[in-house]
Amino acid sequence: GAVVSQHPSWVICKSGTSVKIECRSLDFQATTMFWYRQFPKQSLMLMATSNEGSKATYEQGVEKDKFLINHASLTLSTLTVTSAHPEDSSFYICSARRLAGEGFVETQYFGPGTRLLVL
Amino acid sequence: AQKITQTQPGMFVQEKEAVTLDCTYDTSDQSYGLFWYKQPSSGEMIFLIYQGSYDEQNATEGRYSLNFQKARKSANLVISASQLGDSAMYFCAMYGMNRDDKIIFGKGTRLHILP
């Protein structure tokens, strides 16, 4: 079935460094991908919508200069956490939507997530 | 604005029993989609089931079925014959008319299956 991958799975970095997280749709094209973050014991919170070939749409309260999103192709979106600080430590999850087709319903698949720990 | 409400923060169910996880939603859109996801302790979001607002029949996927009551704006997840591996966090989610719309999530229900 359709799979969305994320890389890396775990990141531990020092405060002030930048971290790039990749999200790939492995067997389908996704014009739109979504980036979420999740704090322990909380629900997923949408950070931004990543559109292939155009600028990302950020949710209110999310700093676009802090969280850079690039949707380089129909199968790849990247999230860069710039100048990361301890409060950016979280679980980041990307998602890609696959439209309905022959034999399958429309659905949104999620990557396995990336755990970021900023020291 | 759209809203998802899951009123059960946690549930404990005996193995092999059926489970119903509640979800109500609010939207002004005529066309929308509803999802259920399972999140085990690993953190991965696992797609379980999808229901389109114009689908007349309730969606089913194996042991999962979605009890869709459009007039009441509810989309409860039913798990038949629960298994120990079903212990996880379950999220109800939806998106609106525009297919590029973001998915919004409920706060989730923590399901514990007891042996």
Side-chain angles (χ1 to χ4, degrees):
Chain A
V3 177
V4 174
S5 70
Q6 270 184 253
H7 176 80
S9 301
W10 268 98
V11 180
I12 302 174
C13 68
K14 291 183 178 180
S15 183
T17 60
S18 293
V19 176
K20 179 188 279 189
I21 304 170
E22 291 187 350
C23 176
R24 294 181 185 271
S25 57
L26 295 185
D27 59 358
F28 66 97
Q29 294 183 333
T31 56
T32 305
M33 291 186 175
F34 304 85
W35 286 96
Y36 295 82
R37 66 188 297 180
Q38 184 181 30
F39 292 106
K41 298 185 179 180
Q42 294 187 22
S43 187
L44 279 71
M45 292 183 59
L46 181 67
M47 298 175 65
T49 302
S50 171
N51 301 295
E52 189 268 337
S54 64
K55 292 183 179 179
T57 304
Y58 290 82
E59 294 300 300
Q60 192 173 9
V62 177
E63 300 175 58
K64 57 182 67 177
D65 295 332
K66 173 77 171 176
F67 299 99
L68 300 179
I69 291 173
N70 182 23
H71 198 143
S73 74
L74 289 173
T75 59
L76 173 63
S77 175
T78 60
L79 168 68
T80 302
V81 184
T82 62
S83 187
H85 288 93
E87 57 266 30
D88 298 324
S89 299
S90 188
F91 188 49
Y92 292 88
I93 307 174
C94 75
S95 176
R97 184 166 296 160
R98 185 182 71 177
L99 300 179
E102 190 169 349
F104 52 87
V105 299
E106 174 174 351
T107 194
Q108 186 149 326
Y109 291 95
F110 288 80
T114 297
R115 297 190 187 277
L116 172 63
L117 176 61
V118 185
L119 303 176
Chain B
Q2 295 166 344
K3 185 179 179 182
I4 291 277
T5 303
Q6 293 180 255
T7 58
Q8 308 152 311
M11 284 187 71
F12 290 80
V13 173
Q14 208 69 38
E15 189 181 8
K16 299 181 183 177
E17 289 184 352
V19 181
T20 298
L21 304 181
D22 296 340
C23 173
T24 58
Y25 60 92
D26 192 18
T27 180
S28 57
D29 288 339
Q30 296 299 311
S31 177
Y32 49 89
L34 296 156
F35 300 85
W36 275 94
Y37 288 89
K38 172 184 178 181
Q39 187 179 42
S41 56
S42 64
E44 184 176 2
M45 294 290 284
I46 301 170
F47 164 74
L48 295 179
I49 198 164
Y50 167 81
Q51 177 88 41
S53 59
Y54 285 108
D55 295 338
E56 294 184 352
Q57 290 191 331
N58 288 343
T60 59
E61 290 285 348
R63 293 187 300 115
Y64 305 106
S65 60
L66 198 151
N67 184 3
F68 181 46
Q69 298 187 38
K70 193 170 182 177
R72 299 176 62 181
K73 292 189 175 178
S74 75
N76 298 341
L77 176 71
V78 179
I79 305 175
S80 62
S82 58
Q83 302 171 356
L84 295 177
D86 294 333
S87 294
M89 196 74 171
Y90 289 80
F91 291 99
C92 181
M94 74 174 296
Y95 61 61
M97 182 181 296
N98 185 340
R99 283 302 187 256
D100 288 336
D101 273 356
K102 56 195 177 187
I103 280 187
I104 60 167
F105 286 84
K107 292 188 176 181
T109 297
R110 172 75 64 182
L111 176 63
H112 303 268
I113 305 299
L114 304 172

